[in-house]
Amino acid sequence: MKKEITTISKFFTIGMLFTGCLTFSQVKDGRPAKESFENETSIINFKKNKSSVLSINGKHHQSGKSSLQWDFIGGGFFETSNFRILTKKESPLAYGDYFPASPTLVMSLYNDKAQNETIKISFEKQGKEEVWFPIKLNFTGWRTIRVPIFEMSGNAPKKGDAIAYDTFKVSATSEKSKGKLFFDDIVFSQYMDDRHPYPDAMVPFIKKDKQNGEDHWMPLIKNMQRIHDLSLKSVSDSEKKDLSVIEKRLDKTFNKEGKKNNNLSKAKEEYAKLNLIKSETVLGDPLVFKVDEVYFDEEDAKKNHTLDVQSFGKSIKKIAVFYLQSTDADKSQIEEMFINASRYFLDQGWQDGASGGTRHHIGYNTREVAEAFYMMKEPLKKAGLLNEIGNSLQWLFNLGKVLGPEVEYEANIDYYNTQSFYHLLLIFMSDNVDKQAALLDAYSNYISKTLALDNEKGVFKIDGTSWHHGGHYPAYGMGAFASIPPVIYTLSGTQFRIDEAGHKNFKKSLLTTRIYSQLYDYGFGNAGRHPLEENSIKTLKSSFLLMAQSGNPEGNSKIDKEVASAYVRLWGDSDKLKSEVIEKDQLPGYHVLPYAATAIHRRNDWAATIKGYSKYVWASEIYVDANRYGRYPANGSIQIMNIGGDLGSGFKQDGWDWNRYPGTTVINLPLKELELNTELLMFRSEETFAGAVTLGNNGVFGMKLNESKGSDAEESKKNNGFPGKLKANKSVFSFGDKLICIGTGISSIDTINPVETNLFQNFISDKSMPISSSESKNISTFPYQSSMEVIGKSGKWLIDAYQNGYYILSPNTIEIRRQSQESYNNAYSVNTGKMNPKAKDETITKGDYASSWIEHGKAPKDASYQYVIYPGLQKDAATSFENKVKNDKSYQILRADNIAHIVKDNETATTGFVIFNSEKELDDAILKSVSVPSLLMIKNEAKNITISVVQPDLNFQTKDKGFDNYSMPVELTITLKGKWKLNQNSAVKSIVVIGGNTEITLECRHGFSNQINLKK
């Protein structure tokens, strides 16, 4: 080896005589932004001193087949000016300018032998050191780092500022140091999303102001240290017994009993995909997390020669399954393959304390890795790798967070989805039973406490909604609902069980999913960035079953009968409930999700989901490559679904007109204008009025729609309104089998595009599927177009293709269409031409539709509408519907203006109030006034009345850039005509009689209905 170094040293002494004659200022065009050291000429432009030897070596490498080897002794250094700095435009930024980005150094280095020495990485300008940072050499294997220039020591630039250095330098910091390092894939400077570079044991100084991981959850040094510092005690016999029970349940999850097979050839085939070579170490392509976040030249073919960790995980999991299901004769060879892959995993830098530059949202990409290593924990133990692999995964999955103080506990739905179950697995990736018990005790406490949080730190809110990205987001909740029940079940019946409060709060949110779903589908209103994309709870069958089998939260029943009842209604399979006699649950009624500005009016065969938004509840998530046309799904939408869910009720993306969400009031825009000119938006208005009140099985929804001014929930950018400045006061009164819909004060300043209120848009699988109207009982012609003028109380009506009836009460023009429609996939941008690469469908979609809407014209000043929906009619309803609606005396619209919408339900003697303006008194027999805009229902029973009231202002408090997402109390005073006194069990702050009127003051919170019983 000494002879080789001497020869190379002589070569570079001669080389430097030549290259030293060149000044770095002479190197101009053609300089690399990234250096991968793929040939001998790669280092012609690298200077070094006599204490250093540089060579190209294939012993270790990342991309390509070789790397730069640096042999050094004390004071050694090498440097280069042969590089260029990438501009922001050249850098791969997934979200463009939406998130801040800064110049960042990216590089990989390999250490054969750990030592207690340090090297320094620096940038210079005109011979002066500008910025630098140290790297300790106390590691082995590969390490990849991403270091923002503004995070370096010295004369660092400000975050986001451009840089202009002319020399990159690596130097040993001690005269006594001596060693050998390998460098590869140096991107000297690219702009990188500031959220992504993350600290680890090698570069702990990154994000020193954000050690709580508030911008992304990633492995944190403090959490790793907590595991290292964990105080252990000897476990008791009862703890050992429970640990054994839990581990056996986990083992059973992955090792299914069955016939053993000859799987050797299959295992070899899967192992071959990894392209591993066993040498001094196990060599292979770079094992990467997110290679597309790092700069690659378009012609750099080496980009494809990487192995992402998710693909690696899928392969080794298959190998693990083959091992468990294999005959004994084949096991040793399969085991050897797996151990080779494990050594490769560690050598590639997937070790305790290494972040690989960034490993954000890591749980999405490493599920199979964790499962595979858990399944093979016995072979790993035999090979002496169990603790090293276990430590790596416990760091990677941030397991140490469960050891933190409870004041730091904060729930995260992504954590529940991608990490919570794996934390349980990884506790057993250790051969120390005392460590297992200590970690499991802390884990149980952490899961229990965070699941119980229904305040600003919680994600399963007090109303049963499931929060992520600052709002109710069922698509993210589904992952948590899939992951947490196995945790609760696995720990059930042991001293490590999830405690009552956490179990109970999680159960509430799980059961709430069946309230906002019909039968399984939860529709478009709360779909976030996934409109009309199979939004369903169908996958939660095993979750409901496991929760039922886990027993009730109180721990005094082996079967949770409430969850079991929901399971039987949804899936009808009672055989797995241990012969318990379980009846189907019943869900008719009116349900309110205030934290989602959502109401659900249900009857046995249908559900109507009514959706709004406000200052605190965003309308939808418009994403860089998803839901590009999603401005309107919460503009007071009314989605009526029968037992067939989305598709069975006429909701499908193919050909869907994104202007036509039923129930919404919109400015009908060309899709090029409907698409935003920003990458992301979660629009919130400045209005606090959006919510619903319920009494008995009925309810009333109301919202102030105002697009003129608002904010982005993700960044809380103010004055984010839309140019048309659309406004409307909207309400829906749900009584019995009907929904009475009222809109007033409809206005816009858009003089080009019309304002419309949509009645329905039905996907029709057969062009002959008819609709009906008061002017034609069977409209099956296709295509078809007509206008229906409603003058006075002329009794005009329609029945859509799915047997929902619409009775028009107001003088409006009703447009009706049956036509083939072309639209854009929600994941396609018509303005940029870009398509989400994960989207399976075409950019342009087509479908046949029947639709109808109320036309308000261009730039209306004070337009209005009134109509009644009768969902779920019989198929022969066209012949009787006209008589039905004209003879329906069950309701009266008492008022419909910009002060209030008031409707009386004669069948229940209940009057509903949506009061938009509280400054004027109401012309009502009982209700005189309210102190602030509110929603009420008053049931009048002679000398007794029942009042249900909501002040819908959620009153979230400001926090950082946005809100803390937890409702604080608001006060409401109701003034009633006459003298009234409280019946029992009515909570109010005060009740006083003044001048023949009764003033009742109460505290409202969470958008919940407050019921008051009064008598004369």
Side-chain angles (χ1 to χ4, degrees):
M1 183 64 188
K2 285 184 178 179
K3 185 176 179 180
E4 180 185 348
I5 292 176
T6 303
T7 303
I8 295 173
S9 181
K10 285 180 180 178
F11 173 80
F12 275 96
T13 301
I14 297 170
M16 287 308 299
L17 289 173
F18 174 72
T19 58
C21 296
L22 298 174
T23 63
F24 287 122
S25 61
Q26 289 176 306
V27 181
K28 294 181 181 179
D29 297 332
R31 294 173 297 175
K34 171 176 173 280
E35 184 58 79
S36 291
F37 306 103
E38 285 307 296
N39 53 65
E40 293 290 343
T41 60
S42 300
I43 51 176
I44 289 176
N45 292 302
F46 279 75
K47 292 172 87 176
K48 67 178 185 61
N49 64 359
K50 293 180 180 180
S51 299
S52 298
V53 176
L54 296 177
S55 59
I56 300 297
N57 195 299
K59 179 179 178 182
H60 302 289
H61 58 82
Q62 286 287 273
S63 293
K65 296 181 179 180
S66 58
S67 63
L68 173 67
Q69 179 177 326
W70 176 40
D71 293 271
F72 63 93
I73 57 175
F77 76 84
F78 68 89
E79 64 185 24
T80 184
S81 287
N82 187 48
F83 65 89
R84 67 186 180 92
I85 292 169
L86 291 166
T87 65
K88 197 170 188 178
K89 188 175 181 180
E90 293 174 296
S91 301
L93 294 169
Y95 300 98
D97 292 330
Y98 190 82
F99 293 110
S102 301
T104 301
L105 167 70
V106 183
M107 63 184 292
S108 296
L109 63 162
Y110 188 95
N111 195 5
D112 268 331
K113 185 178 180 181
Q115 57 176 297
N116 191 28
E117 293 293 342
T118 302
I119 62 170
K120 181 170 70 171
I121 313 294
S122 60
F123 283 99
E124 297 179 356
K125 188 174 182 180
Q126 296 178 352
K128 179 184 176 183
E129 184 178 83
E130 291 288 329
V131 292
W132 60 273
F133 65 93
I135 291 178
K136 291 182 179 180
L137 301 181
N138 57 350
F139 67 94
T140 59
W142 279 106
R143 293 292 186 274
T144 298
I145 58 173
R146 304 181 184 182
V147 185
I149 311 298
F150 74 86
E151 300 264 27
M152 297 181 186
S153 298
N155 186 28
K158 292 182 180 178
K159 185 184 292 189
D161 283 359
I163 59 168
Y165 306 126
D166 56 30
T167 304
F168 169 79
K169 186 174 183 179
V170 179
S171 54
T173 59
S174 168
E175 292 296 328
K176 298 179 181 180
S177 63
K178 180 181 179 181
K180 177 172 58 180
L181 294 171
F182 301 82
F183 293 82
D184 207 354
D185 297 336
I186 302 175
V187 181
F188 296 94
S189 176
Q190 71 166 79
Y191 277 84
M192 185 167 282
D193 191 323
D194 287 339
R195 299 171 303 162
H196 293 173
Y198 233 70
D200 63 12
M202 177 176 281
V203 285
F205 55 87
I206 296 176
K207 282 184 166 55
K208 48 187 172 288
D209 59 334
K210 292 188 175 181
Q211 279 295 287
N212 289 326
E214 63 257 36
D215 52 0
H216 275 84
W217 39 270
M218 305 192 198
L220 295 180
I221 296 169
K222 67 178 181 182
N223 289 334
M224 175 183 69
Q225 196 61 45
R226 284 168 177 162
I227 296 178
H228 291 171
D229 297 340
L230 184 59
S231 178
L232 304 180
K233 62 179 182 178
S234 297
V235 298
S236 66
D237 290 341
S238 65
E239 286 175 316
K240 286 181 180 178
K241 182 179 178 181
D242 282 347
L243 285 170
S244 179
V245 167
I246 292 166
E247 188 171 10
K248 286 177 180 177
R249 287 175 179 172
L250 291 173
D251 289 345
K252 192 174 180 180
T253 302
F254 299 107
N255 193 2
K256 308 293 185 185
E257 294 182 2
K259 182 182 177 182
K260 299 299 182 182
N261 301 305
N262 184 340
N263 292 319
L264 182 58
S265 60
K266 293 179 182 178
K268 286 181 176 179
E269 184 180 340
E270 198 61 42
Y271 180 73
K273 294 179 183 178
L274 301 178
N275 294 314
L276 302 183
I277 300 172
K278 188 176 180 182
S279 183
E280 292 179 32
T281 60
V282 182
L283 298 176
D285 292 328
L287 184 58
V288 299
F289 169 56
K290 289 284 187 184
V291 72
D292 57 358
E293 293 176 355
V294 178
Y295 170 78
F296 279 93
D297 189 280
E298 289 183 3
E299 298 179 359
D300 190 347
K302 292 183 292 296
K303 180 176 182 180
N304 297 321
H305 293 284
T306 60
L307 178 60
D308 68 90
V309 72
Q310 188 170 37
S311 298
F312 171 77
K314 289 178 178 178
S315 286
I316 66 168
K317 183 180 176 183
K318 287 180 181 178
I319 294 170
V321 170
F322 292 145
Y323 174 85
L324 293 176
Q325 296 178 353
S326 184
T327 59
D328 292 341
D330 295 334
K331 280 197 169 184
S332 61
Q333 291 188 61
I334 300 175
E335 179 180 330
E336 183 181 0
M337 297 177 208
F338 191 91
I339 296 303
N340 284 343
S342 302
R343 296 190 190 282
Y344 160 75
F345 175 81
L346 293 169
D347 192 61
Q348 284 290 312
W350 291 79
Q351 297 177 25
D352 180 8
S355 284
T358 187
R359 287 168 185 165
H360 59 80
H361 292 82
I362 194 67
Y364 284 108
N365 302 278
T366 54
R367 302 179 192 199
E368 291 88 359
V369 165
E371 292 170 359
F373 283 132
Y374 178 85
M375 293 158 70
M376 296 293 284
K377 62 184 187 296
E378 290 306 318
L380 287 172
K381 184 176 180 180
K382 177 180 163 186
L385 294 177
L386 177 62
N387 290 331
E388 191 175 358
I389 291 287
N391 290 343
S392 168
L393 295 177
Q394 289 175 4
W395 147 262
L396 186 63
F397 278 79
N398 238 347
L399 178 60
K401 73 190 295 179
V402 306
L403 298 168
E406 289 188 13
V407 69
E408 291 184 5
Y409 286 7
E410 193 162 332
N412 182 295
I413 226 162
D414 264 341
Y415 166 76
Y416 296 133
N417 176 13
T418 65
Q419 290 182 288
S420 59
F421 180 71
Y422 298 99
H423 275 184
L424 180 56
L425 288 184
L426 299 182
I427 287 169
F428 293 91
M429 291 294 292
S430 166
D431 59 11
N432 188 330
V433 70
D434 297 339
K435 180 181 178 182
Q436 291 176 10
L439 286 172
L440 188 55
D441 188 58
Y443 169 81
S444 176
N445 182 64
Y446 180 84
I447 297 292
S448 294
K449 292 295 192 298
T450 57
L451 287 180
L453 293 171
D454 61 7
N455 56 15
E456 67 276 8
K457 292 184 176 182
V459 295
F460 299 119
K461 297 297 187 181
I462 196 167
D463 63 343
T465 50
S466 307
W467 272 53
H468 195 56
H469 290 188
H472 176 51
Y473 213 143
Y476 279 92
M478 293 305 114
F481 294 130
S483 298
I484 291 296
V487 170
I488 293 177
Y489 172 77
T490 301
L491 300 182
S492 65
T494 74
Q495 59 197 294
F496 300 104
R497 68 184 292 268
I498 301 304
D499 70 19
E500 181 178 345
H503 188 155
K504 191 172 185 178
N505 194 48
F506 176 78
K507 170 188 167 180
K508 176 175 66 179
S509 281
L510 177 66
L511 289 177
T512 300
T513 66
R514 92 228 198 262
I515 291 174
Y516 56 71
S517 300
Q518 174 67 4
L519 174 68
Y520 305 114
D521 298 344
Y522 54 84
F524 57 70
N526 287 295
R529 66 174 182 265
H530 308 286
L532 304 177
E533 290 186 353
E534 299 179 2
N535 297 298
S536 171
I537 66 168
K538 190 179 294 184
T539 58
L540 300 184
K541 179 178 180 179
S542 64
S543 298
F544 274 77
L545 180 60
L546 283 175
M547 286 295 288
Q549 293 174 337
S550 297
N552 62 354
E554 296 77 14
N556 54 25
S557 173
K558 291 184 178 181
I559 291 289
D560 188 314
K561 294 185 178 180
E562 186 179 9
V563 181
S565 180
Y567 174 83
V568 171
R569 181 182 68 85
L570 290 166
W571 288 286
D573 182 5
S574 60
D575 294 341
K576 297 180 180 179
L577 293 169
K578 298 180 180 178
S579 301
E580 292 273 346
V581 177
I582 303 294
E583 299 293 332
K584 296 180 182 180
D585 69 347
Q586 300 294 318
L587 285 186
Y590 194 86
H591 310 268
V592 184
L593 305 176
Y595 278 55
T598 297
I600 306 100
H601 188 55
R602 303 184 67 101
R603 289 302 181 259
N604 288 332
D605 297 323
W606 55 264
T609 301
I610 307 157
K611 179 74 174 83
Y613 67 94
S614 69
K615 181 178 181 179
Y616 307 111
V617 177
W618 41 260
S620 71
E621 184 179 54
I622 296 171
Y623 216 61
V624 63
D625 54 6
N627 197 31
R628 293 306 301 164
Y629 314 97
R631 187 183 303 188
Y632 293 142
N635 279 31
S637 60
I638 306 170
Q639 183 174 11
I640 301 169
M641 285 196 285
N642 58 40
I643 209 73
D646 272 345
L647 189 57
S649 306
F651 301 101
K652 189 176 183 181
Q653 183 172 178
D654 295 349
W656 182 265
D657 184 342
W658 301 107
N659 286 291
R660 294 249 174 269
Y661 287 105
T664 60
T665 299
V666 306
I667 302 173
N668 191 306
L669 296 167
L671 293 185
K672 282 184 69 68
E673 296 178 32
L674 185 63
E675 184 187 6
L676 303 181
N677 58 5
T678 184
E679 291 88 354
L680 294 92
L681 179 67
M682 303 168 79
F683 184 69
R684 295 184 301 208
S685 72
E686 288 295 291
E687 302 289 350
T688 62
F689 193 92
V693 61
T694 182
L695 182 61
N697 284 326
N698 299 319
V700 178
F701 171 90
M703 73 173 292
K704 290 184 179 180
L705 174 63
N706 187 348
E707 292 187 349
S708 63
K709 187 178 179 182
S711 65
D712 179 357
E714 187 75 15
E715 292 292 309
S716 289
K717 296 173 183 176
K718 300 295 182 182
N719 299 317
N720 242 12
F722 299 113
K725 297 187 182 299
L726 175 67
K727 297 180 182 179
N729 295 321
K730 293 174 69 72
S731 65
V732 181
F733 296 78
S734 300
F735 291 117
D737 65 348
K738 59 191 171 296
L739 298 91
I740 301 153
C741 308
I742 301 174
T744 59
I746 301 170
S747 67
S748 164
I749 63 169
D750 188 332
T751 58
I752 298 173
N753 302 294
V755 175
E756 299 165 352
T757 296
N758 295 300
L759 297 175
F760 60 84
Q761 180 177 203
N762 300 150
F763 173 81
I764 51 178
S765 55
D766 185 333
K767 291 180 180 180
S768 65
M769 283 180 70
I771 63 173
S772 305
S773 77
S774 49
E775 297 182 351
S776 179
K777 298 292 172 63
N778 188 329
I779 304 172
S780 55
T781 304
F782 194 97
Y784 174 87
Q785 176 177 337
S786 72
S787 297
M788 187 166 65
E789 297 294 331
V790 182
I791 302 170
K793 296 183 179 180
S794 57
K796 302 287 186 178
W797 55 266
L798 301 100
I799 298 175
D800 69 21
Y802 292 85
Q803 302 309 115
N804 303 303
Y806 304 81
Y807 182 42
I808 314 302
L809 301 174
S810 52
N812 294 108
T813 299
I814 311 300
E815 297 293 338
I816 305 169
R817 300 286 188 277
R818 286 168 51 80
Q819 60 190 10
S820 295
Q821 295 181 178
E822 278 195 0
S823 187
Y824 293 113
N825 188 306
N826 82 87
Y828 171 71
S829 167
V830 64
N831 288 301
T832 67
K834 293 181 179 179
M835 177 77 163
N836 186 331
K838 295 181 181 179
K840 300 176 182 177
D841 302 318
E842 299 294 326
T843 57
I844 296 176
T845 67
K846 299 177 182 180
D848 297 330
Y849 283 84
S851 56
S852 180
W853 64 90
I854 300 171
E855 188 67 55
H856 302 299
K858 299 172 182 177
K861 299 298 183 185
D862 190 22
S864 62
Y865 64 81
Q866 295 179 24
Y867 65 95
V868 185
I869 307 175
Y870 294 84
L873 301 172
Q874 298 298 316
K875 288 200 172 183
D876 59 352
T879 58
S880 60
F881 187 60
E882 186 164 331
N883 288 332
K884 176 182 177 69
V885 297
K886 286 185 175 180
N887 296 320
D888 189 352
K889 308 299 182 184
S890 65
Y891 65 95
Q892 298 170 262
I893 297 178
L894 303 178
R895 183 169 188 169
D897 56 29
N898 293 325
I899 302 296
H901 298 172
I902 305 174
V903 175
K904 183 178 181 181
D905 179 56
N906 295 323
E907 292 184 350
T908 61
T910 301
T911 303
F913 301 80
V914 181
I915 303 169
F916 300 103
N917 186 338
S918 59
E919 295 178 0
K920 296 186 178 181
E921 292 187 359
L922 301 169
D923 184 19
D924 182 72
I926 296 176
L927 182 61
K928 181 179 176 65
S929 64
V930 292
S931 60
V932 289
S934 48
L935 300 109
L936 298 89
M937 296 176 76
I938 300 178
K939 183 178 179 65
N940 191 353
E941 298 175 297
K943 294 184 177 181
N944 296 284
I945 61 172
T946 300
I947 300 177
S948 185
V949 58
V950 167
Q951 209 283 51
D953 183 355
L954 292 173
N955 193 26
F956 292 168
Q957 303 302 291
T958 56
K959 175 187 177 184
D960 301 326
K961 295 180 181 179
F963 299 110
D964 66 3
N965 303 325
Y966 186 60
S967 181
M968 298 304 289
V970 288
E971 194 171 274
L972 170 65
T973 299
I974 306 166
T975 303
L976 302 177
K977 295 177 181 177
K979 299 178 182 181
W980 299 87
K981 61 182 179 180
L982 289 175
N983 276 331
Q984 293 180 349
N985 302 322
S986 295
V988 301
K989 289 186 71 173
S990 67
I991 179 168
V992 294
V993 176
I994 302 176
N997 296 319
T998 304
E999 290 186 0
I1000 304 169
T1001 300
L1002 66 158
E1003 187 175 89
C1004 299
R1005 192 173 187 182
H1006 302 301
F1008 289 159
S1009 296
N1010 301 270
Q1011 192 163 308
I1012 309 167
N1013 298 300
L1014 300 158
K1015 60 183 177 182
K1016 285 230 174 175

